[in-house]
Structure formats: structure tokens, C-alpha cells
Amino acid sequence: MLRVGLTGGIGSGKSTVSNLFREKDVPIIDADIIAREVLDIYPEIKQNIKNTFGEKFFDEKGNLKRREFGNFIFKDEIKRKKLEQIIMPYIKKEIFIRFDSFEKKGEKVCILDAPTLIEQGIYVDMDKNILVWVDLKTQIKRVVERDKLGQAEVLDRINSQMSLEQKKKYVHYIIDNSKDLLTTREQINKIMTSLEELRG
Ligand code: ATP
């Protein structure tokens, strides 16, 4: 089975593209969903978060108060790194468990949808990687419309991430999602053909 990483930048259209692959019956592993699920699968993560950041972020049932905790670590790079060190090994482990289970089911291609595929070094474990790219103007316009934010705020968010230009260097396929969905669909079809040829 081919393990394929899919990434992008804020508002570049990763979710849109991922849904188009799903429509083609390609199984998708969503790293954001896994990042939430590991907290319930591996109780030691919550314990470690408690030990590192304090009990105050947990409610009486022992659930993490996600919003409060998110606000607490959001703008603090050191805290964010600490949390990543705690949680990332479990996320990676779980991703590979799910890849293996799709492989056992006989799937030929499986896509990992991961916003930080490159930053977290997960791309090196993939057979192929795909970047969903858009030009900056389109990216700003789409995020302004989707998230009802000002242009400056959107630009701030874009600039806080690794740029789409930098990400280009790490991938085998680039989907230009700046145009209409039909154009994006055509590129997805070409990639599917290429992956199927590779798989033989
Ligand atoms: P994030 O990582 O920030 O959640 P994303 O990369 O998953 O974003 P999407 O939510 O898929 O991006 O797309 C951003 C916005 O642009 C959405 O409102 C989506 O409907 C719209 N969009 C995506 N692709 C296209 C396209 N080809 N044409 C027009 N609109 C698009």
C-alpha cells in the first residue's frame, strides 16, 4: 500500500482536496482527528499534561478543557513545543497503526491529511507527498471570506506558518488549487493515475 502525505497551508484547500480524494474512495487518515483521539486512547498523555501544565485544565470528569488549554498554549512557543513533545510520539504511533489497518484491509493507496506533515518530519515516512498550493492573493481572499477575519489578521496567520513556497521543496506532487474546483479535480485525477501506476 502506498502511504501518501497531504498537506497545505491555512485555507489552501487541504480539506477540500482531501474530500475529493475521499469521493474517489481513497481512505483518509486525518491527523487533526487523531490528535484529539489519542488523549482518550493513551491516558498517560493526560497525566503528563497534568504534571507539566497543572490540574486546572481538567474538568471534574478528568476531561481536558480544550479551549482554555488551547488559549493558554496558543501564543507561547515554548509551551507549544512542550505539548508537542508529549503528544507527537503518540500521534505518529496511531497514524501508523491506522495505515497498517488499511493495508490489512487490502487498500492500495491511503492518504494522511496532516497540516504539519513537513514541520513534524512525518513526510519522510511517506512514499509520496502532496502539497495543496494556492497563490497568496487567493489564499488571503478565501480565508477572509471563510473565517470572517481582516486581511492583516489573515496575513499574520499565514506568516506564522512555513510558507507554501518552502513546502514545495518537500513534495512529489503540487496541486494548484487557485482556480475552480474542476481544475483541482483534474489534477487529483492525474495524481490518482500516477499513484495507481506506481502501485502497479
Ligand atoms: P485550513 O487548514 O485553514 O482549515 P484548508 O486548507 O483545509 O484550510 P479549505 O477549508 O479546504 O482549506 O478551503 C478554504 C476555503 O476556500 C473554504 O471556504 C473552501 O470552500 C474554499 N475553496 C477551496 N478550494 C476552492 C476552489 N478551488 N475554488 C473556490 N473556493 C475554494
Side-chain angles (χ1 to χ4, degrees):
M1 187 186 76
L2 281 178
R3 289 158 171 74
V4 180
L6 177 73
T7 195
I10 174 171
S12 70
K14 198 175 51 61
S15 313
T16 304
V17 166
S18 157
N19 284 331
L20 292 174
F21 274 111
R22 201 174 268 128
E23 277 177 18
K24 294 183 150 297
D25 287 334
V26 179
I28 310 283
I29 299 169
D30 185 325
D32 281 343
I33 293 178
I34 291 192
R36 292 198 289 273
E37 289 179 353
V38 286
L39 286 173
D40 295 322
I41 304 172
Y42 304 99
E44 63 266 36
I45 301 177
K46 279 189 201 156
Q47 194 52 52
N48 205 335
I49 292 175
K50 256 182 216 167
N51 297 344
T52 311
F53 298 103
E55 299 261 355
K56 57 184 177 294
F57 299 110
F58 291 83
D59 64 19
E60 56 289 344
K61 285 187 187 152
N63 293 321
L64 182 65
K65 297 183 205 163
R66 286 176 195 276
R67 180 173 289 209
E68 229 169 273
F69 185 58
N71 290 338
F72 171 70
I73 62 155
F74 178 59
K75 287 217 157 140
D76 188 322
E77 173 111 27
I78 294 171
K79 288 186 190 127
R80 256 196 352 247
K81 281 257 142 60
K82 252 190 197 164
L83 176 66
E84 258 172 41
Q85 273 169 12
I86 295 173
I87 201 167
M88 245 1 244
Y90 294 94
I91 296 177
K92 288 184 183 170
K93 179 176 164 177
E94 201 52 34
I95 284 171
F96 283 94
I97 289 176
R98 298 194 190 190
F99 268 132
D100 289 349
S101 122
F102 280 122
E103 186 161 42
K104 281 203 188 92
K105 282 189 196 151
E107 298 289 351
K108 292 187 165 57
V109 177
C110 179
I111 290 182
L112 167 66
D113 171 344
T116 56
L117 180 82
I118 293 161
E119 295 88 328
Q120 295 297 337
I122 309 171
Y123 74 98
V124 297
D125 296 312
M126 300 296 116
D127 299 303
K128 295 287 168 195
N129 290 291
I130 304 172
L131 173 69
V132 184
W133 183 91
V134 275
D135 63 73
L136 186 60
K137 226 176 114 194
T138 309
Q139 187 178 21
I140 295 172
K141 183 173 167 276
R142 285 185 187 160
V143 180
V144 164
E145 276 168 18
R146 187 194 60 182
D147 298 344
K148 313 280 173 249
L149 295 170
Q151 288 218 1
E153 211 174 336
V154 170
L155 204 55
D156 250 11
R157 290 183 190 204
I158 292 173
N159 289 335
S160 73
Q161 299 183 330
M162 186 193 277
S163 77
L164 290 175
E165 299 314 311
Q166 269 176 297
K167 287 188 177 180
K168 274 182 173 177
K169 293 181 215 145
Y170 295 87
V171 301
H172 308 88
Y173 302 101
I174 296 167
I175 295 175
D176 178 356
N177 184 41
S178 309
K179 302 190 179 68
D180 56 15
L181 281 181
L182 192 67
T183 313
T184 297
R185 245 182 240 272
E186 280 166 8
Q187 296 172 76
I188 290 173
N189 289 344
K190 279 194 185 138
I191 292 173
M192 275 311 291
T193 307
S194 161
L195 291 174
E196 275 156 7
E197 273 169 16
L198 272 173
R199 180 57 181 60

